[in-house]
């Protein structure tokens, strides 16, 4: 064979990763172990590992070894696993410290009343009317105008709502306008469905009306997707005036708006959603994932009157209906008022943690609202985002690199930090100090 030995070993390992012999996240043998197996030297194996790391197949950490990297963009961007002694600054979820005790208590109360036998069978419609009424109550509480519960459809979280709407209201090859920095779960759907994302420019108030207008003229997108409250990743909340301006642009063009507003419960004052100003051209999406639990997979979509039948029958075709049992639990939490209290207490934790983060980190490089779950941290020039996130990972801190949030995967010298996934406050404080030391390391060296 003409190829050098290290190249041969790399190709062999690549195959073993592909067939699942070494699964995602698994640790590869040490240089010495593999050298013995291939009758070669540890230096040759190190070169093979270097090649695989450059190709993005594996990642290596000094003192910890080499690991198989995930192929999924979303999995690389967001680490959902909780690992003992690590700091997960990556996933945006409620803070579970006292929340789970309160949630268990509330769930206990919920199931005391027997469930109607009809909830355990197939149901007629895409959801029970009283579950839709509760969805309506949740959305109205945070500012949405909804006339009738029939306009509320149920989904398995906001992600399911987004994928269903993109599939139904655009065609493969279509252009979809998103905020230039956006939630990677969204760009993953767009890519998986063969649509094309185009980034709308942003300023400190969110997507700009002028950029949206010119994209609508030049690219003719089927959909515009916006996250108006505590935007993921920038944490920007669009003020009312900007929301009205975006609504005017949507009104002017042949385009649907998908308004993904699952962080609206974190707003200090209720702000009218964009959808209130274009009710017949917008789908308003929310879920209980961020306020109560992502594990419940409860999403609500307010649909224009003209589209209720079309979307309902599509959901029915694809999944029959969403679990009435979990929606019954959610509906009881909303009816009793417990859901709003749980959401409020998460907002208080977020507010407290934002203040801690501002104290410990350099507030000049942070962007967020006082009650956001996360921070968008622009790195000092001394650090490049990938290197920063890898060094942080070596020290047990998971952060999400900037480029994962760019609609076109462009390098962005920033990282997103979630302040909520670490349950214990003391552990969070230690993690923030560690991050601060890492940020400063290059400045003092
Ligand atoms: C902006 C945005 N939309 C949708 C989702 C997905 O939410 P769900 O758990 O309700 O599917 C997330 C989760 O991080 C998000 O940040």
């Amino acid at each position: 064979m003409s190829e050098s030995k290290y190249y041969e070993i790399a190709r062999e390992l690549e195959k073993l990763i592909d067939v699942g012999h070494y699964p995602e996240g698994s640790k590869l043998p040490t240089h010495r172990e593999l050298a013995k197996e291939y009758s070669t030297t540890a230096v040759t194996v190190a070169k093979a590992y270097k090649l695989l790391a450059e190709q993005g197949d594996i990642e290596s950490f000094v003192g910890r070894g080499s690991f198989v990297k995930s192929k999924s963009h979303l999995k690389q961007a967001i680490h959902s696993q909780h690992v003992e002694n690590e700091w997960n600054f990556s996933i945006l979820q409620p803070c579970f410290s006292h929340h789970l005790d309160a949630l268990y208590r509330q769930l206990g109360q919920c199931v005391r009343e027997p469930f109607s036998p009809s909830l355990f069978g197939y149901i007629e419609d895409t959801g029970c009317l009283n579950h839709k009424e509760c969805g309506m109550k949740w959305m109205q509480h945070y500012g949405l105008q909804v006339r009738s519960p029939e306009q509320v459809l149920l989904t398995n979280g906001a992600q399911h709502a987004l994928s269903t709407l993109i599939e139904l209201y655009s065609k493969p090859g279509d252009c979809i306008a998103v905020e230039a920095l956006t939630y990677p779960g969204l760009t993953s759907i767009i890519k998986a469905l063969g649509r094309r994302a185009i980034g709308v420019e942003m300023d400190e108030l969110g997507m700009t009306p002028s950029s949206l207008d010119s994209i609508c003229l030049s690219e003719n997108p089927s959909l515009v997707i916006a996250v108006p409250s505590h935007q993921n990743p920038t944490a920007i909340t669009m003020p009312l005036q900007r929301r009205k301006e975006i609504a005017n642009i949507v009104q002017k063009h042949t385009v649907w708006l998908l308004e993904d507003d699952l962080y609206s419960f974190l707003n200090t004052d209720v702000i009218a959603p964009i959808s209130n100003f274009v009710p017949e051209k917008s789908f308003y999406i929310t879920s209980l994932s961020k306020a109560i639990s992502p594990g419940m997979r409860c999403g609500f979509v307010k649909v224009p009157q003209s589209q209720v039948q079309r979307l309902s029958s599509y959901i029915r075709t694809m999944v029959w209906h969403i679990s009435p049992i979990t929606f019954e639990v959610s509906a009881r939490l909303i009816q009793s008022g417990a859901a709003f209290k749980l959401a409020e207490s998460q907002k208080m934790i977020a507010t407290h943690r934002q203040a801690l983060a501002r104290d410990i980190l350099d507030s000049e490089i942070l962007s967020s609202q006082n009650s956001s779950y996360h921070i968008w941290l622009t790195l000092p020039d001394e650090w490049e985002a990938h290197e920063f996130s890898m060094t942080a990972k070596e020290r047990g801190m998971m952060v999400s690199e900037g480029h994962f949030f760019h609609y076109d995967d462009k390098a962005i010298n920033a990282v997103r930090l979630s302040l909520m996934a670490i349950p214990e406050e003391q552990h969070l404080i230690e993690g923030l100090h560690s991050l601060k030391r890492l940020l400063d390391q290059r400045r003092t060296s």
Side-chain angles (χ1 to χ4, degrees):
M1 207 176 248
S2 61
E3 287 161 346
S4 50
K5 185 81 179 172
Y6 83 91
Y7 193 78
E8 244 180 78
I9 296 174
R11 292 290 85 91
E12 180 68 21
L13 289 173
E14 226 175 51
K15 277 190 214 144
L16 290 172
I17 291 171
D18 277 350
V19 298
H21 180 78
Y22 295 122
E24 280 181 11
S26 66
K27 190 170 178 194
L28 290 165
T30 62
H31 295 171
R32 202 173 297 171
E33 282 163 354
L34 216 58
K36 204 166 162 204
E37 197 177 313
Y38 284 93
S39 311
T40 187
T41 63
V43 174
T44 306
V45 174
K47 274 174 88 178
Y49 277 11
K50 187 164 176 270
L51 180 64
L52 290 173
E54 280 163 7
Q55 288 174 191
D57 293 321
I58 67 168
E59 50 193 2
S60 305
F61 302 98
V62 181
R64 281 178 62 202
S66 299
F67 297 82
V68 179
K69 239 170 120 169
S70 165
K71 293 241 183 303
S72 145
H73 193 84
L74 195 53
K75 262 190 160 176
Q76 286 180 52
I78 297 163
H79 306 269
S80 44
Q81 226 177 350
H82 176 72
V83 180
E84 202 67 32
N85 297 328
E86 279 189 351
W87 290 277
N88 189 337
F89 285 107
S90 176
I91 188 96
L92 295 184
Q93 66 177 28
C95 175
F96 283 158
S97 55
H98 303 297
H99 182 75
L100 285 190
D101 290 340
L103 193 52
Y104 293 147
R105 263 197 315 278
Q106 291 303 333
L107 292 176
Q109 304 249 335
C110 280
V111 292
R112 235 172 253 161
E113 282 275 303
F115 283 23
S116 153
S118 66
L119 295 175
F120 295 91
Y122 286 109
I123 54 170
E124 258 308 292
D125 200 356
T126 53
C128 304
L129 192 63
N130 79 310
H131 298 168
K132 296 179 178 192
E133 270 164 3
C134 288
M136 179 165 101
K137 193 170 169 191
W138 178 264
M139 294 195 277
Q140 284 173 331
H141 189 82
Y142 299 109
L144 184 75
Q145 287 165 0
V146 196
R147 274 197 306 220
S148 126
E150 262 98 23
Q151 277 182 271
V152 177
L153 298 189
L154 314 178
T155 59
N156 285 315
Q159 188 76 3
H160 177 220
L162 287 165
S163 60
T164 304
L165 289 165
I166 292 171
E167 207 166 22
L168 189 58
Y169 289 91
S170 67
K171 297 188 299 303
D174 276 8
C175 166
I176 297 179
V178 298
E179 285 136 337
L181 291 172
T182 189
Y183 157 59
L186 175 57
T187 35
S188 296
I189 300 172
I190 294 176
K191 221 166 155 190
L193 294 177
R195 275 63 164 173
R196 203 162 41 89
I198 177 114
V200 182
E201 280 169 27
M202 302 170 80
D203 62 13
E204 69 289 356
L205 305 181
M207 66 161 64
T208 69
S210 58
S211 171
L212 180 60
D213 196 30
S214 68
I215 284 175
C216 286
L217 286 170
S218 62
E219 304 283 339
N220 192 24
S222 321
L223 302 166
V224 177
I225 307 180
V227 181
S229 309
H230 303 263
Q231 201 255 2
N232 186 357
T234 61
I236 292 169
T237 293
M238 261 189 209
L240 184 63
Q241 182 55 28
R242 176 61 61 89
R243 293 176 187 221
K244 288 182 180 168
E245 286 161 9
I246 297 295
N248 283 341
I249 308 291
V250 169
Q251 193 63 54
K252 207 172 117 185
H253 297 278
T254 312
V255 70
W256 293 105
L257 169 71
L258 308 190
E259 185 174 19
D260 177 1
D261 205 13
L262 72 178
Y263 299 104
S264 61
F265 70 99
L266 293 173
N267 288 336
T268 317
D269 300 308
V270 171
I271 315 177
I274 309 170
S275 298
N276 283 4
F277 309 105
V278 270
E280 281 312 311
K281 291 189 77 178
S282 60
F283 295 84
Y284 180 89
I285 300 166
T286 190
S287 86
L288 300 185
S289 293
K290 305 300 174 178
I292 318 283
S293 152
M296 292 178 80
R297 309 310 300 138
C298 285
F300 302 109
V301 188
K302 187 238 155 181
V303 180
Q305 193 59 56
S306 64
Q307 300 303 311
V308 172
Q309 274 316 316
R310 186 178 176 198
L311 187 57
S312 307
S313 56
Y314 191 68
I315 293 176
R316 196 164 179 75
T317 303
M318 296 316 249
V319 295
W320 203 255
H321 55 69
I322 314 298
S323 164
I325 299 167
T326 43
F327 269 93
E328 178 66 17
V329 172
S330 306
R332 291 182 184 192
L333 288 176
I334 293 172
Q335 256 156 0
S336 70
F340 298 103
K341 286 194 191 128
L342 289 167
E344 197 54 34
S345 90
Q346 287 298 322
K347 183 161 117 181
M348 278 165 63
I349 297 172
T351 309
H352 176 65
R353 291 183 167 211
Q354 283 286 339
L356 283 176
R358 274 165 198 283
D359 265 1
I360 297 169
L361 303 171
D362 179 357
S363 56
E364 293 241 309
I365 56 172
L366 307 184
S367 312
S368 64
Q369 312 290 316
N370 286 344
S371 53
S372 304
Y373 271 18
H374 60 286
I375 278 172
W376 183 238
L377 189 148
T378 305
L379 291 169
D381 292 342
E382 298 83 359
W383 275 112
E384 183 274 319
H386 181 64
E387 202 193 354
F388 181 81
S389 106
M390 285 295 120
T391 317
K393 200 169 174 183
E394 270 177 20
R395 298 183 187 184
M397 295 173 282
M398 307 297 153
V399 304
S400 303
E401 276 171 51
H403 73 96
F404 288 119
F405 300 93
H406 187 267
Y407 77 97
D408 199 21
D409 206 23
K410 201 179 114 200
I412 301 285
N413 214 30
V415 290
R416 191 196 68 183
L417 302 179
S418 162
L419 299 180
M420 300 297 275
I422 300 168
E424 297 310 325
E425 185 175 311
Q426 196 47 42
H427 192 50
L428 170 77
I429 292 172
E430 284 161 20
L432 287 169
H433 280 295
S434 261
L435 272 180
K436 172 70 174 154
R437 278 194 296 278
L438 189 58
L439 282 165
D440 288 346
Q441 183 180 301
R442 291 280 164 94
R443 289 184 182 148
T444 48
S445 61

